[in-house]
Amino acid sequence: YITIQESDYSEYEFAPGVGKLYEYKKIIFKIGLELPFNYTISRHDYNKIEEYDVNGNIKNTIIGNYDEPKYFHIGLYMFTSVYYNFWKSFSAGFELSNGFLYGYSKGTITKEYEYYNAAGQLTDTETINDEVDNKLFNTSFLYTSIGLVYRL
């Protein structure tokens, strides 16, 4: 099997926070809290799966398109970061965060499948619509990120 997957989505994210900054020579330490908000407007996934026989010829192909409803989440994260001031107001470093996240999604997930034979001819189609009303609560532990910071 060979699988090709592409995703396309539009989202807005905003994360106000408060924290404390400590500096020692060129090293900058930060600790704080963030309140991230995320709103995904649309999401589309494309999948193509090709199945081959023992001679390397395509036996069949399945193409799937998935559209998902809007998604919203809000959370609370605690973070600790260490940065090195390498030039003027520029710093590079990493951050560790731990947090809690609540997410909500309601709407229709649409899955469309197209089935092709070895000659590349469309043999069947299928559409599945699933109504969802998802609420989730999850945690993030030791989420690591790297960053480049410019301070005014």
Side-chain angles (χ1 to χ4, degrees):
Y1 293 97
I2 292 182
T3 302
I4 299 170
Q5 182 174 359
E6 298 174 6
S7 293
D8 181 28
Y9 59 94
S10 300
E11 72 178 5
Y12 294 99
E13 188 166 355
F14 177 68
V18 296
K20 186 74 175 159
L21 190 73
Y22 301 96
E23 294 184 61
Y24 177 75
K25 296 184 182 180
K26 290 187 167 245
I27 306 289
I28 301 166
F29 300 97
K30 291 192 308 184
I31 57 171
L33 296 172
E34 287 181 331
L35 194 64
F37 298 91
N38 181 287
Y39 182 64
T40 302
I41 298 169
S42 64
R43 180 177 176 140
H44 177 80
D45 290 330
Y46 166 85
N47 289 297
K48 181 178 182 180
I49 301 170
E50 294 177 338
E51 183 181 6
Y52 293 86
D53 63 18
V54 293
N55 297 320
N57 299 316
I58 295 177
K59 284 176 41 177
N60 57 52
T61 303
I62 303 169
I63 294 177
N65 287 291
Y66 311 97
D67 291 303
E68 297 182 19
K70 298 173 184 171
Y71 177 79
F72 168 80
H73 80 245
I74 184 170
L76 178 65
Y77 282 83
M78 299 175 296
F79 67 88
T80 302
S81 58
V82 178
Y83 284 84
Y84 178 75
N85 188 346
F86 63 90
W87 183 67
K88 295 186 181 181
S89 294
F90 287 97
S91 302
F94 68 93
E95 178 176 299
L96 290 176
S97 61
N98 302 301
F100 303 96
L101 189 68
Y102 171 78
Y104 178 72
S105 178
K106 183 176 182 176
T108 304
I109 296 176
T110 302
K111 302 172 189 172
E112 296 175 342
Y113 299 98
E114 297 174 351
Y115 300 91
Y116 295 88
N117 62 18
Q121 299 167 326
L122 182 65
T123 58
D124 196 10
T125 61
E126 180 181 18
T127 301
I128 301 169
N129 292 311
D130 293 323
E131 293 297 318
V132 294
D133 186 4
N134 293 331
K135 298 170 187 75
L136 67 93
F137 184 77
N138 72 22
T139 60
S140 173
F141 181 68
L142 294 179
Y143 180 75
T144 306
S145 60
I146 59 172
L148 182 64
V149 175
Y150 176 77
R151 290 178 46 195
L152 298 175

